[in-house]
C-alpha cells in the first residue's frame, strides 16, 4: 500500500481523505484522464483550492481553524449536506471522520483509514467512490 495516500496532507478540512478519492487515485497512479470517466485531482490541500466547505466558512477562509472538527458548530449546514450525500452514495461519513480525528488523533485515524481501504488483492488502496483498486486495474491493463 502506498503510504502517501494516508498522510495528514491529504485530509481535507471537511474530513474527506483525498487519498481514497478516485480522482486522486487516478492522478497519483498516472491513469490517463477520460472525459466523463476519470478526472484528476491532487487533493484539496495540495492544490490549495477553495473547496465548497471553505468557500462557505469564514473561519476556514480567515485561517481561524484548519479543520471543521475545530469548530464549535460542527457540522454546519454545508458540511451536513455534504456528509448526507456521502453517507447515502458511498457509505462514508466526513463528520464521523472529523470526530474520530478529534477524539483519537490524526495518526489513529490514518491507521483506521489504511485498514478500511486496503485492497484485499494487492494491498494498495480501494476508492471510496467506486470500490476499485487503481493499482490492480493498472496492472491488469499492462
Amino acid at each position: 500500500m502506498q503510504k502517501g495516500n494516508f498522510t495528514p496532507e491529504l485530509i481535507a478540512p471537511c474530513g474527506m481523505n483525498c487519498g481514497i478519492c478516485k480522482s486522486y487515485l487516478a492522478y497519483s497512479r498516472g491513469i490517463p484522464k477520460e472525459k466523463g470517466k476519470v478526472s484528476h485531482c491532487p487533493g484539496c490541500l495540495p492544490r490549495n483550492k477553495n473547496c465548497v466547505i471553505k468557500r462557505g466558512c469564514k473561519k476556514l477562509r480567515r485561517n481561524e481553524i484548519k479543520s471543521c472538527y475545530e469548530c464549535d458548530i460542527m457540522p454546519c449546514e454545508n458540511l451536513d449536506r455534504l456528509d448526507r450525500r456521502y453517507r447515502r452514495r458511498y457509505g462514508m461519513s466526513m463528520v464521523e471522520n472529523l470526530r474520530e480525528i478529534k477524539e483519537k488523533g490524526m495518526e489513529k485515524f490514518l491507521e483506521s483509514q489504511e485498514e478500511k481501504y486496503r485492497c484485499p488483492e494487492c494491498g494498495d488502496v480501494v476508492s471510496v467512490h467506486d470500490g476499485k483498486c487503481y493499482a490492480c486495474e493498472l496492472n491488469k491493463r499492462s
Side-chain angles (χ1 to χ4, degrees), residues 34-77:
E34 293 180 42
K35 191 172 183 174
K37 291 185 179 181
V38 179
S39 61
H40 284 187
C41 177
C44 289
L45 295 178
R47 68 186 175 135
N48 198 25
K49 295 284 185 184
N50 285 336
C51 68
V52 173
I53 298 299
K54 192 170 183 178
R55 278 194 305 254
C57 178
K58 290 178 185 176
K59 290 181 180 183
L60 282 168
R61 282 195 321 269
R62 293 178 184 160
N63 293 317
E64 293 172 19
I65 61 173
K66 290 186 179 188
S67 177
C68 295
Y69 76 81
E70 298 171 294
C71 186
D72 55 345
I73 61 166
M74 196 265 311
C76 65
E77 187 178 317

Side-chain angles (χ1 to χ4, degrees), residues 73-122:
I73 61 166
M74 196 265 311
C76 65
E77 187 178 317
N78 287 338
L79 179 58
D80 185 55
R81 188 177 317 113
L82 182 63
D83 186 69
R84 280 185 279 125
R85 189 172 74 228
Y86 263 74
R87 281 178 189 257
R88 186 176 60 250
R89 289 184 182 173
Y90 311 115
M92 189 271 283
S93 170
M94 293 171 191
V95 172
E96 286 177 20
N97 287 353
L98 290 165
R99 288 184 179 138
E100 184 176 348
I101 293 167
K102 186 173 185 173
E103 292 169 14
K104 297 179 182 176
M106 184 63 78
E107 188 175 327
K108 292 287 184 193
F109 170 72
L110 293 172
E111 287 172 10
S112 71
Q113 289 285 286
E114 191 171 349
E115 180 68 29
K116 186 174 182 177
Y117 293 100
R118 180 179 296 127
C119 174
E121 284 283 315
C122 72

Side-chain angles (χ1 to χ4, degrees), residues 20-37:
I20 62 172
C21 170
K22 74 179 185 176
S23 294
Y24 177 80
L25 290 167
Y27 164 81
S28 65
R29 295 330 187 250
I31 296 171
K33 283 185 182 184
E34 293 180 42
K35 191 172 183 174
K37 291 185 179 181

